[in-house]
Amino acid sequence: MQRHSRSASSGSPAAPAAPASPRRPKRRAAPFLASVRFLDGSRNVYEVSNAKDVADARRMILEELSNVAAAMIVVRD
């Protein structure tokens, strides 16, 4: 929050404040977890925080990783 100071020598009345515009809550991307099994049998869990939906999270995982045998994407609570 910023402070505004008025000089004591100003004789004019303060101008009325403009009504504050309502703030919209910033939409946070839904966090997703991706459980990935690779062709060699190894497994790992990844967080996908910048996807719009489950399909977008799956697309991102498949684009970023190679040798993926299966991927399960869930919304993290």
Side-chain angles (χ1 to χ4, degrees):
M1 179 179 273
Q2 294 179 343
R3 285 190 170 185
H4 297 283
S5 62
R6 290 186 224 163
S7 66
S9 63
S10 114
S12 63
S21 62
R23 290 187 183 184
R24 291 184 180 174
K26 189 174 182 180
R27 185 175 176 203
R28 205 177 85 191
F32 298 95
L33 289 178
S35 177
V36 179
R37 184 170 44 96
F38 295 96
L39 293 175
D40 66 358
S42 63
R43 297 177 300 267
N44 206 347
V45 175
Y46 298 93
E47 291 183 356
V48 183
S49 61
N50 52 349
K52 297 175 202 163
D53 54 19
V54 173
D56 192 32
R58 182 176 180 80
R59 180 191 56 77
M60 292 170 69
I61 287 292
L62 295 176
E63 285 180 358
E64 295 290 324
L65 302 174
S66 58
N67 299 325
V68 173
M72 182 174 60
I73 314 295
V74 297
V75 177
R76 183 175 62 186
D77 290 328

